[in-house]
Amino acid sequence: MAHKVDFERWEQEARFFDAEASKRSVSVSPIDDRVVQRYQSPGRLFPKEYSCRVLGDLRGKRILDVGCGEGENTLLLARLGAMVTGIDVSPKAIELGSARAKASGLGGMTNFICSPIAAANLPDGYFDIIWGDNVLHHLLPVLDETLRSLARAAKPGAQFLFIEPTNLNPTLRRIRFLVPVHTETTPGERPLERDDLAIVQRHVPDLKKRHFVFFGRLTRFLLPDGAYENASLARRALVRALHVIDYGALTIPSMETLGGMTVLHGHRPLSREESVDVSLRAAG
Ligand SMILES: C[S@@+](CC[C@H](N)C(=O)[O-])C[C@H]1O[C@@H](n2cnc3c(N)ncnc32)[C@H](O)[C@@H]1O
């Protein structure tokens, strides 16, 4: 059962992201074809490209987009061939996401639910992929319970993939607070730390972590509106160069804690009964 503190958090999150969505709802733009093209043959330098590469062919897959916001990824994953359910606590974000899905001709491939994850009535064992982009760090006080309910909604052996800000290097975090760059945040959000990753691993035992974004932190100065596709060739080349350096550096084990963004991926394990079932089916 939800506690008073849960309702307060949900309300705070919904209010913050409603305000963000209201800034954008004037233009319900369809998904940009250049974005789709980028992820149809993804590279591995950027967290989302790498994530699409990890997931492979999405045609016919059922995906849950957790904390889908305004549906940026819901639409993208649907254009890549998946049937996508986006869930988010912000009514305005959900409204905008579903309007954008219709404007993109993706109404039949997408389904939007406005609910906190913990209160949603998701079907059991339904999704092939549980996807979350920048959402777990909003759910830290309820991380364990959240992952448990996501695991219930996932098929046996389903893929889990999260793109999250991480803080695995306390010195770097202290330096970050000395740099006067303002970012809007909701109360209680922070990058994931080692203990949080351990909780994720409890639910996704084969968890793999790929770290990104050390010099890539400078991207915010090169792409002020965050839109890579709209940037000039020179800016895009610079952004790529930063990510090339990061890609090389952050694969070195002693350097990986310098990354500020991590792709976490693995599978929901099979229960004992499910394993027996799989073995019996394999034996004919
Ligand atoms: C940083 S935004 C990320 C949005 C989207 N995934 C993206 O990458 O564009 C985090 C989202 O998580 C949603 N959120 C926060 N707490 C939630 C909860 N308990 N249940 C469902 N959604 C939640 C917020 O409303 C917000 O849209």
Side-chain angles (χ1 to χ4, degrees), residues 8-22:
E8 278 164 16
R9 271 190 75 81
W10 296 339
E11 238 180 72
Q12 275 172 344
E13 291 282 330
R15 223 177 304 128
F16 181 90
F17 286 102
D18 274 358
E20 291 291 302
S22 297

Side-chain angles (χ1 to χ4, degrees), residues 10 13 17 67-69 73 88-89 115-117 133-135 138-139:
W10 296 339
E13 291 282 330
F17 286 102
C68 64
N73 295 317
D88 202 284
V89 72
S115 167
I117 294 150
D133 184 356
N134 274 283
V135 66
H138 288 267
L139 298 164

Side-chain angles (χ1 to χ4, degrees), residues 2 6 10 13 64-69 85-90 113-123 127 130-140 142-153 160 162 164:
D6 294 326
W10 296 339
E13 291 282 330
L64 180 66
D65 181 3
V66 185
C68 64
T85 299
I87 178 165
D88 202 284
V89 72
S90 156
I113 302 174
C114 183
S115 167
I117 294 150
N121 200 5
L122 296 170
F127 294 100
I130 305 288
W131 161 288
D133 184 356
N134 274 283
V135 66
L136 295 184
H137 72 287
H138 288 267
L139 298 164
L140 292 173
V142 289
L143 189 56
D144 197 36
E145 301 89 296
T146 301
L147 289 163
R148 204 172 312 123
S149 45
L150 293 177
R152 251 197 318 275
F160 274 63
F162 297 103
E164 290 295 328

Side-chain angles (χ1 to χ4, degrees), residues 243-257:
H243 283 78
V244 168
I245 301 169
D246 281 353
Y247 192 84
L250 299 175
T251 36
I252 302 168
S254 58
M255 303 275 281
E256 60 183 24
T257 64

